[in-house]
Amino acid sequence: MSHYRSSRHHGLIALAAIIALLPLVLSNKYFYDVAILIGFNAIVCIGLNLLIGYAGQISLGHAGFFGLGAYASAILTGNYGWPPVIAALAGMAGVGSLAFLAGRPILKLKGHYLAMATLGLGIIISLVIVNQDRLTGGPDGITVGPFSVLGFALENERAWYWFIGGLLLLTVWLSQNLIDSPMGRALRALHSSEVGAQAAGINAAAHKLQIFVLSATFAAGAGSLAAHYSGFITPAKAGFIHSVELVTMVVLGGMASIYGAVVGAAVLTLLPQILTVLKDYEMVVLGAVMMATMIFLPRGLVPSLAALCERWRDLLPPSLVLRLEALIGRGRKP
Amino acid sequence: MSAPARPPEGGASQSPERAQPANRTHPLPQEGGRGDGSSTPARPPEGGASQSPERAQPANRTHPLSQEGGRGEGPRMTILSVQNLSRRFGGLTAVDDVSLAVSPGTVHAVIGPNGAGKTTLLNLMCGIYTPSSGSIWLDDHDLSGAPHYAFARLGLGRTFQTPQIFNNMSALENVMVGRYMHEQRGLFLGLAEALLRLPTLRAAERRSREEAAELMRVVGLERYLDAEADALPYGALKRLEIARALALKPKLLLLDEPAAGLNHSEAVEIEQLIGQLVERGMTVVLVEHNMRLVMEVSDAILVLDHGRRLAEGPPQMVREDPRVIEAYLGKEAAEDARSAVAV
Ligand SMILES: Nc1ncnc2c1ncn2[C@@H]1O[C@H](COP(=O)(O)OP(=O)(O)O)[C@@H](O)[C@H]1O
Ligand SMILES: [Mg+2]
């Protein structure tokens, strides 16, 4: 297990290094913009993967929570003059409460039925946003003021980049801590065998609800910040398509993998940008890439590639492996 | 009396336990309590104990044990008691009016042909199924209708006929899950502690890891201390489940066919393990087809057939009961056996 813990720190250090070094190649505003988008998506996907990948409960309505967080910030700062941080926290608390109330009946359902119910919840949220146009601006959307923390405003891409980078690291750290705790084991246990988990005294319903609320709160927080960052929010951000995009990122990156969520968010945010050169064929190629990934790496990018590395490692001469491991500072328990 | 919902039907009322704190007295009439089919709370207690004030309370549930005639063992403590339990699935009555009283420190076996209702009985006794009728008491808690996890939290550990292993974690973590309720700090404090990985949690995790490793050694799985759960062979999974159940620090273990699918030497190891546990004071309810194992470790055997109680008693008695032989071997074999005895 010390192996697990040390590899956990290595992962965090590697992610921090990537975040720190990336600005060397981010040569213009557009690149920064893409990197920041990846950060937002990664934060939502980590939360969603806690629910889907670890606890085994699907949500097809997570964009609804993201959208509610975004609109809460827009309305509370714009109409009521609340400080952005307070508005974001209030939005998270409100969305958490909503997830708690809605989750109690919904999470009794399993599999496809749970998917349908969360889908319905997401659709209701986006309809309410569209229809409450006096408050939300309706289908046209609403402008959102800049974000500031303790009087320090995030004015340019660079500032946002470091802020979101730090927040992403924090999210990864918190989530990994959770997974490797009694509570995280309870979640993984009820995913694998709900009967077995209950036999160990685990109240499965309470834990499902708890992780649903936590996951919705992550999405709401990311939504608040994303609204401030882009300065504009439309109901599409709360809609079904966005929900599906988020789930796709989680599945492509790898279920039950924190870094899988980050990688999935990065790949599916980047690919469409890169594929724009293909014009009309963009979506076809994107779909083909996703299908190929799931066929050849069925557990998702990170878990499948990690398994491949393990296998290759066994094929290499042990002396070379030892030297390589010494190089990257990682030992494996015998 | 401090125990609010305790039924007054104290067959043990004249025993010394009466004088002890309320939670020592068991709700059930013990083996000596003769079932007369009446469920009226006003039935005078055997032994003429003083009428306790609770007797008048309508909330008290009383169920005279339906077993005919005691075996004259006098009153004794019961850790688990099941009264007139039935469970129907559509038209099928999988468990039909079964009663059972398990004394602490004993092994109580439940045997019967396939489909007799043994697993269903265990599932009722740990809250996986809710009874169609009847009640279940663990110590002096009425748990009829309580959720599965509530039984576990009151000290009931169980293993499954088909092992319910958590394949998405290591073998050691599987056992650590069994320590859940000893680590649990409430959903909010627990969440904060977990997210921030506070020093208190780190210390608790270290202790959990050590205790789980110790339990893996107890059940003979030290080879798999570093293994992922899905890498374990079938026989090891059965023992991993026992280790996880022991991590609850249970008062009572329900084992559903712990030796099924094991070879002879593995079955002997399970037998020895059960023996060790009982030596340390564990109470076990054992469902098992391996008769050698059952006869070896059991203090009492309940035989089920088509959901009903066919016979109950100590191993020798059950072994020679013609009804049991008939249920297992068919009528002719039973007659053969009878005539063989007659000759
Ligand atoms: N969940 C269920 N739904 C319907 N029938 C069930 C269910 N569980 C058990 N049964 C039925 O109850 C009977 C007893 O089953 P079981 O308790 O598994 O027997 P045993 O463990 O003694 O082999 C069987 O006829 C079985 O088909
Ligand atoms: Mg069975």
Side-chain angles (χ1 to χ4, degrees):
Chain A
M1 276 296 116
S2 67
H3 154 61
Y4 181 60
R5 208 167 304 148
S6 70
S7 76
R8 184 171 65 173
H9 288 158
H10 288 307
L12 262 184
I13 292 166
L15 182 63
I18 291 172
I19 291 172
L21 296 178
L22 208 55
L24 297 178
V25 293
L26 297 178
S27 48
N28 61 36
K29 254 178 107 159
Y30 168 72
F31 286 150
Y32 269 100
D33 190 48
V34 174
I36 291 164
L37 275 182
I38 291 175
F40 284 127
N41 283 332
I43 290 171
V44 182
C45 287
I46 290 171
L48 191 55
N49 209 354
L50 291 177
L51 180 71
I52 300 180
Y54 287 99
Q57 310 300 310
I58 185 77
S59 169
L60 287 179
H62 249 54
F65 300 132
F66 181 94
L68 279 182
Y71 275 94
S73 278
I75 293 164
L76 291 177
T77 56
N79 297 12
Y80 301 95
W82 288 29
V85 175
I86 305 294
L89 291 176
M92 288 165 76
V95 168
S97 311
L98 175 75
F100 179 79
L101 293 176
R104 273 164 69 111
I106 283 179
L107 290 165
K108 292 206 175 85
L109 305 171
K110 292 188 197 313
H112 298 110
Y113 302 99
L114 178 62
M116 288 297 291
T118 51
L119 176 68
L121 178 64
I123 288 174
I124 292 171
I125 291 173
S126 68
L127 279 180
V128 168
I129 290 173
V130 171
N131 290 328
Q132 294 295 313
D133 47 3
R134 292 223 344 255
L135 215 50
T136 64
D140 298 336
I142 187 174
T143 55
V144 193
F147 191 74
S148 60
V149 206
L150 305 170
F152 178 79
L154 297 178
E155 273 154 357
N156 54 34
E157 273 76 13
R158 228 167 260 272
W160 271 100
Y161 176 85
W162 293 115
F163 181 58
I164 296 304
L167 219 52
L168 177 60
L169 281 175
L170 180 69
T171 308
V172 169
W173 182 71
L174 292 174
S175 303
Q176 285 196 327
N177 286 347
L178 181 68
I179 291 311
D180 197 20
S181 75
M183 213 164 259
R185 280 194 296 276
L187 291 175
R188 287 180 283 155
L190 70 88
H191 181 188
S192 186
S193 165
E194 201 164 319
V195 170
Q198 304 240 30
I202 292 165
N203 180 347
H207 276 283
K208 286 181 197 174
L209 187 57
Q210 183 191 36
I211 199 66
F212 187 66
V213 169
L214 188 72
S215 174
T217 309
F218 275 27
S224 289
L225 294 174
H228 283 294
Y229 170 70
S230 63
F232 196 76
I233 173 93
T234 67
K237 278 288 170 204
F240 172 59
I241 304 282
H242 189 208
S243 283
V244 172
E245 279 171 3
L246 294 170
V247 173
T248 313
M249 288 173 184
V250 169
V251 176
L252 187 90
M255 302 265 249
S257 164
I258 302 285
Y259 293 107
V262 178
V263 171
V267 169
L268 284 185
T269 310
L270 269 177
L271 258 188
Q273 311 284 339
I274 296 169
L275 294 178
T276 45
V277 295
L278 298 174
K279 302 215 171 65
D280 291 349
Y281 296 102
E282 180 195 332
M283 291 316 278
V284 178
V285 175
L286 182 61
V289 168
M290 282 164 54
M291 280 174 65
T293 310
M294 294 326 290
I295 290 168
F296 296 109
L297 304 170
R299 288 162 61 200
L301 288 168
V302 169
S304 288
L305 288 175
L308 274 182
C309 288
E310 286 282 295
R311 219 178 316 150
W312 286 337
R313 178 186 175 280
D314 292 342
L315 296 179
L316 296 175
S319 58
L320 182 62
V321 171
L322 280 181
R323 229 172 300 155
L324 283 174
E325 278 178 348
L327 201 66
I328 60 172
R330 169 184 164 184
R332 202 158 163 263
K333 268 184 88 168
Chain B
M1 286 295 177
S2 56
R6 191 168 59 82
E9 195 81 18
S13 45
Q14 70 277 57
S15 75
E17 282 114 344
R18 190 67 175 171
Q20 288 173 11
N23 62 355
R24 297 278 296 172
T25 320
H26 196 272
L28 276 185
Q30 303 298 314
E31 298 279 301
R34 208 155 287 114
D36 56 4
S38 130
S39 60
T40 157
R43 189 164 65 86
E46 243 131 5
S50 61
Q51 297 275 333
S52 69
E54 294 117 316
R55 184 154 291 271
Q57 290 173 12
N60 289 329
R61 321 179 38 145
T62 54
H63 275 287
L65 207 60
S66 67
Q67 292 164 7
E68 321 87 77
R71 292 196 293 274
E73 286 158 330
R76 56 183 173 139
M77 293 268 300
T78 316
I79 188 164
L80 173 81
S81 55
V82 159
Q83 297 155 67
N84 305 100
L85 206 60
S86 297
R87 170 70 200 209
R88 285 177 284 280
F89 295 111
L92 174 86
T93 306
V95 168
D96 193 356
D97 199 28
V98 172
S99 299
L100 181 72
V102 181
S103 312
T106 63
V107 178
H108 209 113
V110 180
I111 64 170
N114 271 326
K118 306 179 297 292
T119 297
T120 306
L121 180 62
L122 285 199
N123 284 347
L124 289 165
M125 292 195 307
C126 72
I128 293 179
Y129 295 152
T130 45
S132 302
S133 62
S135 60
I136 302 149
W137 292 77
L138 189 61
D139 284 331
D140 49 0
H141 302 274
D142 180 0
L143 282 173
S144 325
H148 188 186
Y149 69 84
F151 282 75
R153 289 187 187 178
L154 286 173
L156 184 143
R158 96 157 267 187
T159 68
F160 296 86
Q161 192 172 340
T162 317
Q164 298 292 314
I165 298 297
F166 311 129
N167 281 321
N168 52 356
M169 50 180 97
S170 71
L172 188 73
E173 281 179 303
N174 266 265
V175 183
M176 290 170 77
V177 170
R179 286 187 40 79
Y180 169 85
M181 63 176 173
H182 303 293
E183 302 170 319
Q184 167 71 318
R185 306 271 198 133
L187 289 180
F188 277 103
L189 189 61
L191 185 64
E193 207 183 39
L195 284 172
L196 301 173
R197 204 170 176 79
L198 298 178
T200 47
L201 181 107
R202 259 180 269 180
E205 284 282 281
R206 212 173 307 124
R207 231 175 305 124
S208 267
R209 214 166 275 285
E210 280 159 15
E211 289 199 22
E214 180 54 35
L215 283 171
M216 283 183 72
R217 285 185 203 102
V218 167
V219 301
L221 289 179
E222 53 278 356
R223 292 174 51 196
Y224 299 108
L225 277 171
D226 290 313
E228 290 299 309
D230 57 9
L232 267 59
Y234 188 75
L237 295 181
K238 290 261 175 188
R239 280 191 259 176
L240 186 63
E241 265 206 324
I242 296 179
R244 183 178 73 201
L246 289 175
L248 297 171
K249 302 199 173 99
K251 293 185 262 210
L252 173 68
L253 269 182
L254 308 186
L255 306 177
D256 197 352
E257 306 205 9
L262 303 190
N263 62 32
H264 178 74
S265 66
E266 287 173 324
V268 170
E269 283 168 8
I270 290 285
E271 182 186 317
Q272 287 166 347
L273 178 57
I274 295 174
Q276 281 170 24
L277 293 175
V278 174
E279 244 164 58
R280 296 190 203 174
M282 182 65 70
T283 312
V284 177
V285 174
L286 171 72
V287 169
E288 183 51 62
H289 279 303
N290 182 333
M291 280 308 135
R292 214 191 56 80
L293 193 159
V294 168
M295 294 297 162
E296 203 64 43
V297 302
S298 308
D299 297 293
I301 300 178
L302 167 70
V303 189
L304 289 183
D305 189 28
H306 296 296
R308 297 193 67 97
R309 193 187 76 141
L310 190 67
E312 188 174 12
Q316 310 85 318
M317 206 178 98
V318 165
R319 197 201 315 233
E320 284 151 21
D321 192 316
R323 286 170 304 174
V324 177
I325 300 171
E326 187 179 313
Y328 267 91
L329 303 172
K331 228 181 179 80
E332 281 150 44
E335 256 141 35
D336 287 353
R338 224 168 290 158
S339 51
V341 169
V343 170

